[in-house]
Amino acid sequence: MTDSLRKSSGIVVLVLFALVVNAAAQTVKGSVEVKIDSVLAADTNQGCDKQLSTLRDRLRRLFHYSTYRLVQHEEGHTGFGQTVTFTLPGGRILHIEPVGMDGDMIRLEVMLFQGEEPMMTTDLKIMNGGTFMVGGPRYERGTLIISIKPIAPASVEMAPETSKAAAAVEGPPPPATAVVAPIAPGQDH
């Protein structure tokens, strides 16, 4: 009875170890790290948050506010063809799905929701490690600017690409204005 239990335990441990090693290998091969900064922009003459020093010049050039404050920073990991979800200030939900690679460019599908209502849906390409910004949703006494930075390992191996149709928003245009502003790698947060 004890020998049988030892053998069973050993097999279970071996199977679990193999599953963990396999999952870790898959995560490294096709994983994309996504960094999100939620920035409150307003005209309150309070300057720029020190945590945003690497984005300060670009924020001022693109959005023309006198105050920029980091409200929230989040990081997540996902694989190609899989969505990572972020909960943003004001109850907004951000879905990021890395679709594939084109040389040094990462192809992404980005969807921003207010509750279940889509505010913005876009497909784009960005340099691996670069940053783009989406600005426009009202938040508190200003505007929420969302900085998105996807990073894929240099030698990424992806699963075969699946084609997806971009979601369409019916009805009047969404209330948010989107500004996509790429930032070269090394110049951002």
Side-chain angles (χ1 to χ4, degrees):
M1 177 96 157
T2 306
D3 286 338
S4 174
L5 185 58
R6 274 192 210 139
K7 288 179 185 177
S8 296
S9 297
I11 291 172
V12 169
V13 169
L14 261 174
V15 168
L16 286 174
F17 179 73
L19 289 173
V20 168
V21 168
N22 187 35
Q26 287 177 355
T27 299
V28 170
K29 285 182 184 177
S31 101
V32 176
E33 180 182 13
V34 181
K35 296 181 180 186
I36 305 295
D37 285 330
S38 298
V39 178
L40 174 62
D43 281 321
T44 58
N45 295 315
Q46 295 176 356
C48 187
D49 192 328
K50 290 179 182 178
Q51 295 171 313
L52 297 170
S53 63
T54 58
L55 296 176
R56 181 187 59 233
D57 292 341
R58 183 157 304 248
L59 285 166
R60 288 180 176 159
R61 193 169 50 250
L62 291 172
F63 298 104
H64 308 289
Y65 290 95
S66 63
T67 303
Y68 298 95
R69 181 173 56 92
L70 180 64
V71 177
Q72 180 176 303
H73 174 81
E74 288 188 84
E75 296 183 15
H77 289 83
T78 190
F80 287 95
Q82 299 175 343
T83 302
V84 62
T85 301
F86 298 94
T87 302
L88 303 177
R92 292 171 183 85
I93 306 294
L94 180 65
H95 291 194
I96 307 270
E97 180 181 331
V99 177
M101 295 288 294
D102 261 343
D104 289 343
M105 305 288 282
I106 299 177
R107 289 182 292 138
L108 298 174
E109 181 176 295
V110 178
M111 296 188 295
L112 180 63
F113 293 88
Q114 177 68 52
E116 293 189 21
E117 288 292 315
M119 296 176 69
M120 179 194 79
T121 299
T122 189
D123 294 323
L124 54 95
K125 288 183 190 179
I126 183 168
M127 287 291 295
N128 188 7
T131 298
F132 66 93
M133 296 179 185
V134 178
R138 300 295 301 164
Y139 178 68
E140 292 181 358
R141 294 183 180 150
T143 298
L144 188 67
I145 298 171
I146 305 160
S147 168
I148 304 169
K149 179 179 180 175
I151 306 166
S155 60
V156 85
E157 293 179 31
M158 299 181 323
E161 185 179 330
T162 57
S163 64
K164 278 178 73 177
V169 179
E170 295 181 11
T177 304
V179 175
V180 179
I183 299 174
Q187 292 182 329
D188 52 342
H189 193 278

